[in-house]
Amino acid sequence: MAVVKAFYCIHPAKGLESRIAALPYDVYNREEARQAVQGNPLSFLNIDRPETMFAEEQDMYAPEVYQAAKKRLRQMIKEGSFVKEENPVCYIYELTMNGRSQTGIVACASINDYQNQIIKRHENTRAEKETDRICHVDVCGAQTGPIFLAYRSQESVNRIVAEVKSREAEFAFGADDGVFHRGWKISDQKQLRELEEAFAKVESVYIADGHHRAASAVKVGLKRRAEHPEYDGTEEFNYFLSVLFPDEELMIMDYNRVVRDLNGLTEEGFLQRVREKFDVAALKEAARPKCKGQMTMYLHGNWYCLTIRPDYIQDDPAEALDVAYLQRELLAPALGIGDPRTDSRIDFVGGIRGLEELKRRADSDMEVAFAVYPTSIQELFAVSDAGLLMPPKSTWFEPKLRSGLFIHEI
């Protein structure tokens, strides 16, 4: 059963939340990160992406870069920009985007639950991406970016959340991207105990977003265990910072694909390959797919609707994802994209960017674009429960959790 734990939260001083909070470190490339921190020395991105504090030619993975992150964090705590709670707490964290809200519980999850697959994952991680966050967490002595977890909605948890949200929020601010953030502290021991007991009845928790952050936090925890063989399991390094959301409030957006060329095929030759496994219909204008098994394609100024033929429909939870149909039945055999993780001819475009971005890319540096039907949260659960893995870039969650609002020292 799932363990959730209150912790000595480090958070921005009242009134500084909007200036400190930043989008996750991996949303930005290096140049975007440098631009994002311009004029805002309090931005948490300076800590999450500490290379922004160095010259452009600086090796962003050098030891002194991680030391700079630690120094900046300790300095902001010393100056009072960050405040540490005197007793363990949890938080309720609400994000509202385009009129739709989702509310999560900020708490620590157990690395034992991760190892025992009570916390389930649906993606492989890449060693080089893990290494960066392992160094960051280990040197800073803190987890600075929460893991986005999901669980099947529980009435007992919903009741506690509603009680807490009936009070005035500890912080509330609107971010530049239009997302509104509110947070409430849970310090009442009875409510904290009820929350722990409610999650003790939850069989499985799922990583929605943040597989690399989770794997890195766990590996740092295991490293600390090896360094402290007398550990008893209560130490902070046995837990990692998370925000847990009920499934009924989550929305997954499409995660679309653009490909650089037609793998040597002419336009008509490529369309013939598409028709081998898909019913193809010309569209008068740009459109998103309307149901599972359907995707839309932009090629040389024209939009098409592609519907997978019944003979190619799969029952396997991972193989039945729409992104899997696209990869297996079209991208690999027709366009030669064998491994989308490593092939430089393919790129991925989050659904938040819209169909116009697909058209722009296909008209500029790419040649063909595909809009897929979004993976559902229930499909994510099914893949994870089966112990399977999704294709890369199968889910795009919005809104994004902010880093810097909650920090867990280990």
Side-chain angles (χ1 to χ4, degrees):
M1 302 303 173
V3 172
V4 299
K5 175 181 174 293
F7 66 108
Y8 293 90
C9 182
I10 296 174
H11 56 81
K14 198 166 186 63
L16 293 183
E17 294 89 356
S18 63
R19 294 176 62 189
I20 289 175
L23 285 165
Y25 75 98
D26 51 359
V27 167
Y28 303 92
N29 62 34
R30 187 167 185 173
E31 180 54 33
E32 289 169 342
R34 291 183 67 86
Q35 293 177 4
V37 301
Q38 292 296 321
N40 186 10
L42 290 181
S43 171
F44 196 75
L45 198 55
N46 282 310
I47 294 170
D48 242 2
R49 294 289 296 268
E51 75 275 9
T52 57
M53 296 185 282
F54 290 80
E56 290 185 37
E57 62 272 14
Q58 170 69 39
D59 176 4
M60 61 189 291
Y61 304 118
E64 61 267 24
V65 174
Y66 299 105
Q67 288 294 334
K70 176 183 178 179
K71 182 179 179 181
R72 174 64 70 95
L73 176 60
R74 298 302 156 193
Q75 180 182 1
M76 290 180 71
I77 293 172
K78 183 178 180 180
E79 293 173 348
S81 297
F82 281 116
V83 178
K84 184 174 182 177
E85 292 290 331
E86 295 182 357
N87 297 294
V89 299
C90 291
Y91 269 81
I92 302 298
Y93 179 26
E94 178 194 74
L95 302 93
T96 302
M97 176 181 175
N98 297 331
R100 185 187 67 85
S101 295
Q102 61 188 49
T103 304
I105 296 157
V106 183
C108 280
S110 164
I111 67 173
N112 287 342
D113 283 356
Y114 182 94
Q115 289 187 296
N116 297 334
Q117 297 185 26
I118 292 171
I119 297 174
K120 297 182 177 181
R121 41 208 186 271
H122 63 264
E123 268 184 22
N124 275 326
T125 54
R126 291 164 53 184
E128 68 273 16
K129 290 187 70 175
E130 282 186 28
T131 300
D132 169 49
R133 287 301 102 176
I134 288 171
C135 291
H136 194 277
V137 172
D138 200 23
V139 172
C140 288
Q143 296 148 1
T144 59
I147 316 306
F148 187 155
L149 300 180
Y151 62 95
R152 292 182 175 88
S153 182
Q154 303 287 320
E155 182 54 41
S156 54
V157 178
N158 295 343
R159 178 182 55 76
I160 297 170
V161 170
E163 288 177 2
V164 175
K165 287 180 69 175
S166 67
R167 307 195 304 259
E168 183 179 354
E170 295 276 332
F171 66 81
F173 66 92
D176 291 343
D177 59 359
V179 178
F180 195 76
H181 303 261
R182 292 198 297 170
W184 295 261
K185 182 165 62 179
I186 307 178
S187 55
D188 180 79
Q189 290 300 310
K190 180 175 179 291
Q191 284 184 322
L192 290 172
R193 188 166 55 252
E194 288 176 348
L195 202 58
E196 291 183 8
E197 291 171 354
F199 273 98
K201 299 174 184 176
V202 174
E203 291 185 7
S204 299
V205 174
Y206 303 82
I207 299 177
D209 201 8
H211 282 77
H212 287 91
R213 289 192 293 275
S216 302
V218 169
K219 287 184 177 178
V220 172
L222 296 177
K223 177 176 178 286
R224 296 289 176 96
R225 285 181 174 183
E227 293 168 348
H228 301 84
E230 73 285 359
Y231 80 93
D232 62 13
T234 62
E235 299 85 358
E236 293 300 321
F237 56 71
N238 293 289
Y239 301 90
F240 59 89
L241 181 64
S242 304
V243 186
L244 301 101
F245 291 91
D247 57 345
E248 62 190 12
E249 294 189 8
L250 297 178
M251 180 186 73
I252 304 177
M253 298 188 73
D254 41 316
Y255 213 156
N256 301 312
R257 277 77 169 132
V258 288
V259 181
R260 193 173 307 281
D261 57 64
L262 298 184
N263 197 31
L265 296 170
T266 64
E267 178 179 342
E268 185 52 41
F270 173 63
L271 287 172
Q272 286 179 0
R273 295 295 302 272
V274 176
R275 292 188 184 101
E276 291 175 4
K277 297 179 179 178
F278 295 85
D279 292 326
V280 180
L283 296 172
K284 294 181 179 179
E285 58 186 8
R288 295 182 183 273
K290 297 180 179 178
C291 61
K292 254 193 79 60
Q294 187 182 91
M295 60 196 72
T296 57
M297 176 178 75
Y298 178 76
L299 174 67
H300 297 171
N302 297 303
W303 283 92
Y304 300 87
C305 179
L306 315 183
T307 304
I308 189 75
R309 290 181 178 164
D311 290 350
Y312 301 100
I313 292 177
Q314 301 277 336
D315 292 328
D316 179 282
E319 295 297 331
L321 299 173
D322 285 68
V323 288
Y325 287 133
L326 175 60
Q327 174 60 35
R328 184 180 62 251
E329 309 298 350
L330 185 53
L331 297 184
L335 294 180
I337 306 293
D339 186 350
R341 291 182 179 85
T342 59
D343 198 315
S344 62
R345 295 168 53 235
I346 190 171
D347 199 3
F348 305 89
V349 180
I352 192 70
R353 296 181 181 270
L355 296 177
E356 274 301 310
E357 178 65 8
L358 291 182
K359 179 180 183 299
R360 187 192 71 78
R361 293 294 302 276
D363 286 340
S364 56
D365 60 320
M366 296 289 178
E367 190 162 1
V368 60
F370 302 91
V372 296
Y373 193 72
T375 301
S376 72
I377 190 68
Q378 299 309 322
E379 286 178 312
L380 184 154
F381 285 177
V383 170
S384 300
D385 285 339
L388 301 172
L389 298 174
M390 290 185 179
K393 311 295 185 183
S394 293
T395 56
W396 181 279
F397 284 91
E398 286 287 349
K400 301 293 185 188
L401 308 183
R402 290 320 195 255
S403 294
L405 290 176
F406 315 101
I407 298 171
H408 173 228
E409 277 192 313
I410 60 170

